[in-house]
Amino acid sequence: MSDEINVVTMPKLGETVTEGTIGSWLKNVGDTVEFDDPLFEVSTDKVDSEIPSPYDGVILEILVPAGETVPVGTEVVKIGAPGASLDSAPASPAAAPAAEAAPAAAAPAPAAGGSGFAGAVHDLTMPKLGETVAEGTIGAWLKNAGDSIEFDDPLLEVSTDKVDSEIPSPYDGVLLEILVPAGETVPIGTVIARIGEPGAEGAAAAAPAAAPSAPAATGAAPAAGDGKPAAAGGAGVMLSPLVRRLAAEHNLDVSQISGTGAGGRVRREDVEQAIASGGAKAAPAAAAPAAAAAAPAAKPAAAAAPAASGGFVATQVPGTNDPRDRTEKLSRMRQAVGNGMLNSRALAPQVWASIEVDYENIENVRKKYKNEFRAQTGAGLSYLVFIARAVCEILHKYPAVNSSLDWEAKTQTFHPYVNLGIAVDMDEQGLVVPVINDADQLNLRGIATQIKAKAGLARGKKLGADQMRGSTFTITNPGPVESYASSPIINQPNSGILCTDGVHRKPVAVGDTIAIHHIGIIGLVYDHRSFDGVTTGKFLLDLRNVLQDRDWEAELGL
């Protein structure tokens, strides 16, 4: 039985956060946990967060009790490999939670990775930068092996399907080893570097040893949960715990799934595509040996099988091959946005409904007060501000529209608050979705200033990962480019996304006369698993009536 022990540390939940308080433990010593299971709750001066487990295994020891406040990077819990017993873990002293005592206690021990460095050595793992994020790509290392670093120094850049982030160092010391080079994609929890205490020796010798000690660098990253090759893809590359779990739950044969990750590694998106297409089903257990022997010959024909049964198989259409063409590698942001959209479409049955809105009432208020409003708040009095304000109010009447769905658990979570996501264009390079927390508690002024502030941070690339988490509903706004009617893709795990299209002057019937009013289309794309067309129609009708009929001048209060 493996006696490998993984240590989870107090995460850094904000650029300036230096410590966190354990709110409560969601697992107990002896409990079995899986990758991404809720593990404990943390409160900081910036945010309250539920921290998921970065490993599969067994809770061996809780080092910091609920209610204690410790610095970022402090060891808080030890997790043993799956199947490990409590007896396999070395006993920890009762005073282990004291972060100050850790260096002295660890000094005589060799490094966790067996490299033999003097002094305490800390494993730096791929951080989890979003609730549904399963892996990350190292964009660039900002320090080299052997460099001295201080707590909070920028250390590396990470890209996920949700966000690009600059990761600060959680420790003072020396960067001893870089285990995963720039450009590689690895599962959350994978050890990517080792940092020694200030003055630690062995940094110079670390560089040659880095390659053999880091299978992730060759595309064969160890599974984040247990560090062992629990399963392999079609080319013998390792699978993350999330990929293994998805494949097992849907009875998929991963050897028949073409991997798009480094070295042909099968990624979450590859499995989800196979699930959507209905392909790559595993053979019954009794036929496994025969199926394995026939796999190489059967692989070319596997793509045709789902089509015969009515499934959809995505294939790459040949290009024009014209010498005038210019081919460029997709940016990390464009890849992240694309993967997120594919994931959302594969996950949820998405339906679009729309309604026409007469904005003449709002337009009159905007013309009268927009200059004064901007002078007082610094924000514009756009149509989006009014729509966001009305949406936040109406969502309380339709809780299913402001819900999140966990289809595997067969649960639906209804949110009694509105954390409003606002899609922001990054100069045509991609989209990010900053979140306005408790937007339903804000008036027109509050919403307008928050939209301006969040968009400014996003375009200035100063938006932290914690500022893009936890949305319950999203609005995207292509109206300024005069779109007519758009059908966006849902921002997971929301159940709906509202699209505010262009506003145009059109003739309308007003009583028995014809007038020229400002008219636009508002569309709602919704997850048909969460609610149905009747709820959608009522939601849009109420939204239209509020926008058209409310006394916005009185609410503006100017």
Side-chain angles (χ1 to χ4, degrees), residues 172-325:
D172 292 332
V174 177
L175 182 56
L176 299 176
E177 289 184 284
I178 291 176
L179 302 177
V180 180
E184 290 291 331
T185 301
V186 295
I188 301 304
T190 299
V191 178
I192 58 177
R194 292 193 173 102
I195 299 173
E197 287 187 335
E201 299 175 356
S213 65
T218 64
D226 52 19
K228 299 182 297 182
V237 293
M238 298 304 113
L239 304 176
S240 71
L242 180 61
V243 167
R244 282 185 280 130
R245 189 186 312 163
L246 281 174
E249 289 174 353
H250 294 273
N251 193 32
L252 298 182
D253 181 357
V254 292
S255 68
Q256 295 190 35
I257 301 176
S258 298
T260 59
R265 185 170 59 84
V266 176
R267 303 167 66 238
R268 180 196 67 220
E269 290 82 0
D270 303 324
V271 178
E272 288 170 345
Q273 179 60 45
I275 294 169
S277 68
K281 292 292 184 183
K299 192 171 182 179
S309 61
F312 171 76
V313 178
T315 57
Q316 181 63 47
V317 179
T320 59
N321 200 28
D322 191 302
R324 295 171 295 179
D325 294 340

